[in-house]
Amino acid sequence: MKLLLLAPPGAGKGTQGERLAARYGVRHIAAGDLLRAEAQADTPAGREIAAYQARGDLVPDQIVLDALTPAVVEAAAGGGYILDGFPRTLPQASAAAELAARLGVALDVVVYLYAPEDVLTRRLLDRASQAGRADDVADVIRHRHRVFAETTGPLVRYYTERGILVAVDADQPPDSVTADIQERLSELLPFLAC
Ligand code: ADP
């Protein structure tokens, strides 16, 4: 299983990514988590990543590719992955497609989770009141949604044109979203026997 979760902040890619990885026995590669881990390092690169994340801006493509490629290559060799938050720009998608071609693997499916922005914002603010993440504050959340619409949104069309995108309504309880994803996957990829 090689699946990409494409979703605006607050849509639940982390939750769904973990569930899908457990279900299919593959690695869950969360770009934001990997980058947050790198940002902990007291190095120039770590400080640069931390600054982009705190502002809600995307980390530059080359830094992301350097951080993510080893994990993707390793997971591909181990049978697959659930990619959560990578690729997130058209240049990252091209680089990931080249890498996949070189490895002789390709994405099976892209799951696009969508929900109204006010629902997403409310979820992120609720999360902030429990386990606060520095970028879960109202103005940074607004900026992250704008960045998603402008920079990541074009990937919806990119993968639709390649015939591998399924869109799932994320404005439902987590279990219903998981059930919908699995139903769509079983239609699209019956050989995976979901
Ligand atoms: P969310 O989707 O809620 O914003 P993530 O943990 O996926 O949460 O991402 C948090 C931050 O990490 C982003 O705002 C961005 O700064 C950085 N990031 C994550 N994935 C990427 C990526 N593929 N390219 C560039 N930056 C990324």
Side-chain angles (χ1 to χ4, degrees), residues 15-38:
T15 305
Q16 301 300 331
E18 277 171 26
R19 292 180 179 194
L20 291 168
R23 168 103 197 176
Y24 296 107
V26 294
R27 179 158 173 207
H28 173 215
I29 301 177
D33 290 349
L34 282 180
L35 291 167
R36 268 186 293 280
E38 297 233 345

Side-chain angles (χ1 to χ4, degrees), residues 9 13 31-32 35-36 53 57 59 64 85 88 92 133 144:
K13 17 182 197 64
L35 291 167
R36 268 186 293 280
Q53 288 194 313
D57 281 324
V59 175
V64 173
R88 204 148 153 151
Q92 288 179 19
R133 227 172 73 180
R144 284 156 65 203

Side-chain angles (χ1 to χ4, degrees), residues 111-186:
V111 174
Y112 170 46
L113 300 176
Y114 62 89
E117 185 171 331
D118 59 330
V119 171
L120 301 172
T121 301
R122 202 170 333 113
R123 285 186 190 168
L124 292 170
L125 290 173
D126 284 351
R127 177 171 83 187
S129 64
Q130 296 152 18
R133 227 172 73 180
D135 55 351
D136 284 345
V137 292
D139 55 341
V140 181
I141 290 171
R142 203 173 312 114
H143 183 62
R144 284 156 65 203
H145 283 136
R146 198 158 48 232
V147 169
F148 180 85
E150 286 170 5
T151 311
T152 309
L155 293 185
V156 173
R157 179 157 173 205
Y158 175 92
Y159 290 116
T160 300
E161 285 171 358
R162 281 156 183 77
I164 57 169
L165 186 126
V166 298
V168 171
D169 180 4
D171 186 11
Q172 313 182 68
D175 288 350
S176 306
V177 177
T178 307
D180 278 4
I181 294 174
Q182 273 171 2
E183 192 185 321
R184 301 298 302 280
L185 292 182
S186 64

Side-chain angles (χ1 to χ4, degrees), residues 32-83:
D33 290 349
L34 282 180
L35 291 167
R36 268 186 293 280
E38 297 233 345
Q40 299 286 319
D42 191 17
T43 60
R47 282 190 288 272
E48 197 183 347
I49 294 172
Y52 282 104
Q53 288 194 313
R55 290 196 301 269
D57 281 324
L58 294 183
V59 175
D61 289 332
Q62 196 54 54
I63 296 178
V64 173
L65 288 166
D66 290 347
L68 271 290
T69 301
V72 174
V73 170
E74 196 188 302
Y81 41 68
I82 306 295
L83 287 178

